[in-house]
Amino acid sequence: MLSRRALLFFCAAFFASADQAGAQWSLDTETNLFYTDDVSLFSASRRLALMEDPTQPAVDVTGQGSDMVVEPQAELKRTFSSALGRTELSVKAQGFVFAINPIYNHGTFRFEIEQDLTRSLMLRVNYYYAPDLFLAHNTQRLTGVKADERVSSHIYSAHLEGRPTEDLSLRLLTRYGSRDYNAAFQNRDTTLWTVGPHVEWAAARWLDVTAGYHYERGLADGRNQPQAKDDVSYINHYLALGLMIKPMEDHAIFLGADYEHNIFTSTIVGDERRGQKEDIYQGELEYRRTLGPRAVITAGFQRSVRVSNISARSVPDNNTWLGLEYKF
């Protein structure tokens, strides 16, 4: 009910802004074509970023084969000024379409409000919705029966961002949300909250630096259902570093590194996650070529490795892509 009310409030604000004097529309679009060597980890790898949803649901089944994936996305923005200052409303839709494994097809939606509080302080509030994401054909711990595992994520976040200098931005992020599973895995329903600082620094004319840390706590219903022996509750530490290098005009190279440390907090005897942990290491390289004021082409490579002491496994995932960004 809260999600529906938040969505209705945003839509009312979005369309009511049409009457504001000086209001402006803009549309940012992007299309990427990916090759991935593990469809089961693709979604989690692509969202491992500061401004995305880096702490994805637990993934039990990996190694489900390679595929080509098309990612279309579009973000519609409306900006206007009022007595409160600059306000920007935006709606973003993103999809992933798999060529060989359509069961993994899914979409996400983000509804966001930015409000300038002063000349150097801004508040951003958004709602992120990822419905009915297929994770795996997984085994129920209580019955031993296999079933499709799906999850819908509802994430509310707020960012307070200040600019102490022209070259430096400091941001404090907070998130609260839920991951709601289908009936066969409803004991994994999880409530989560996150807090962490971000830094964006224009270190030189040719170098921009982004860094951040998140602390997240997730509490699953399974912690109160010992008979299921399937508590996916966790404590998560997430670190990210990004370097945007601009060696010459219209050319840029992005280097990114992400690290996650998941500590599973189950105390249930017989639960495979009791006393266990998982580390995720990810690196990214992307080349960006600006083609005038509206278009950018991209090419990139991303590799992540999940190291877990659950069954002592190490699972790699590699993604490559070509993309086009266009602003209207």
Side-chain angles (χ1 to χ4, degrees), residues 60-61 134-143 145-151 179-190 220-222 225 230 232:
D60 294 334
V61 181
F134 176 78
L135 297 178
H137 194 56
N138 204 357
T139 303
Q140 296 174 276
R141 299 300 185 268
L142 184 62
T143 65
V145 174
K146 283 201 167 187
D148 286 352
E149 180 184 6
R150 293 181 175 272
V151 63
R179 303 201 193 278
D180 303 325
Y181 288 75
N182 56 320
F185 293 91
Q186 62 184 358
N187 60 283
R188 292 189 168 192
D189 287 355
T190 301
D221 289 355
Q225 301 171 17
D230 189 24
V232 297

Side-chain angles (χ1 to χ4, degrees), residues 21 50 61 84-85 97 138 157 170 173 211 214 247 265 273 290 312 324:
L50 280 175
V61 181
L84 297 175
V97 182
N138 204 357
S157 65
L170 304 177
L173 170 143
H214 292 175
T265 58
R273 286 186 169 79
T290 301
L324 172 66

Side-chain angles (χ1 to χ4, degrees), residues 67-317:
D67 209 337
M68 301 295 293
V69 187
V70 177
E71 177 205 15
Q73 59 178 291
E75 183 174 13
L76 181 63
K77 299 179 182 179
R78 186 160 187 83
T79 306
F80 59 92
S81 297
S82 67
L84 297 175
R86 183 192 68 94
T87 303
E88 181 178 278
L89 307 178
S90 64
V91 180
K92 181 178 179 180
Q94 179 186 41
F96 292 98
V97 182
F98 291 72
I100 302 173
N101 301 273
I103 195 170
Y104 287 95
N105 291 353
H106 65 281
T108 67
F109 305 90
R110 191 197 68 201
F111 306 89
E112 186 168 274
I113 301 174
E114 284 189 7
Q115 178 64 57
D116 285 350
L117 302 178
T118 68
R119 293 183 61 183
S120 59
L121 189 65
M122 180 266 289
L123 177 66
R124 179 187 300 112
V125 180
N126 67 44
Y127 165 59
Y128 169 85
Y129 177 45
D132 202 33
L133 172 65
F134 176 78
L135 297 178
H137 194 56
N138 204 357
T139 303
Q140 296 174 276
R141 299 300 185 268
L142 184 62
T143 65
V145 174
K146 283 201 167 187
D148 286 352
E149 180 184 6
R150 293 181 175 272
V151 63
S152 295
S153 297
H154 303 267
I155 310 290
Y156 303 87
S157 65
H159 315 77
L160 185 63
E161 183 172 315
R163 296 177 62 90
T165 71
E166 287 296 318
D167 299 329
L168 183 65
S169 294
L170 304 177
R171 182 186 308 121
L172 178 64
L173 170 143
T174 61
R175 302 198 315 162
Y176 174 82
S178 66
R179 303 201 193 278
D180 303 325
Y181 288 75
N182 56 320
F185 293 91
Q186 62 184 358
N187 60 283
R188 292 189 168 192
D189 287 355
T190 301
T191 300
L192 62 93
W193 60 268
T194 316
V195 64
H198 299 173
V199 177
E200 295 182 3
W201 178 36
R205 179 191 58 79
W206 55 271
L207 177 64
D208 294 334
V209 180
T210 303
Y213 165 76
H214 292 175
Y215 172 90
E216 183 166 301
R217 183 70 166 110
L219 295 174
D221 289 355
R223 73 188 190 280
N224 299 317
Q225 301 171 17
Q227 69 279 5
K229 297 182 174 64
D230 189 24
D231 177 12
V232 297
S233 300
Y234 61 89
I235 293 173
N236 177 274
H237 299 279
Y238 169 60
L239 291 166
L241 175 65
L243 304 176
M244 184 67 78
I245 303 168
K246 296 167 280 188
M248 62 185 72
E249 188 176 3
D250 298 333
H251 298 265
I253 298 171
F254 176 76
L255 298 173
D258 300 271
Y259 169 69
E260 274 195 355
H261 180 57
N262 282 309
I263 303 168
F264 296 106
T265 58
S266 174
T267 59
I268 300 172
V269 176
D271 187 343
E272 67 173 4
R273 286 186 169 79
R274 184 185 182 196
Q276 305 301 303
K277 64 179 183 178
E278 179 183 62
D279 294 292
I280 303 173
Y281 306 87
Q282 181 166 291
E284 179 177 323
L285 170 65
E286 183 180 64
Y287 168 72
R288 301 176 61 83
R289 174 72 164 91
T290 301
L291 303 175
R294 295 182 180 274
V296 177
I297 59 172
T298 62
F301 173 74
Q302 180 184 69
R303 177 176 173 82
S304 65
V305 178
R306 292 171 175 255
V307 180
S308 173
N309 55 2
I310 304 173
S311 304
R313 58 182 180 174
S314 177
V315 183
D317 174 42

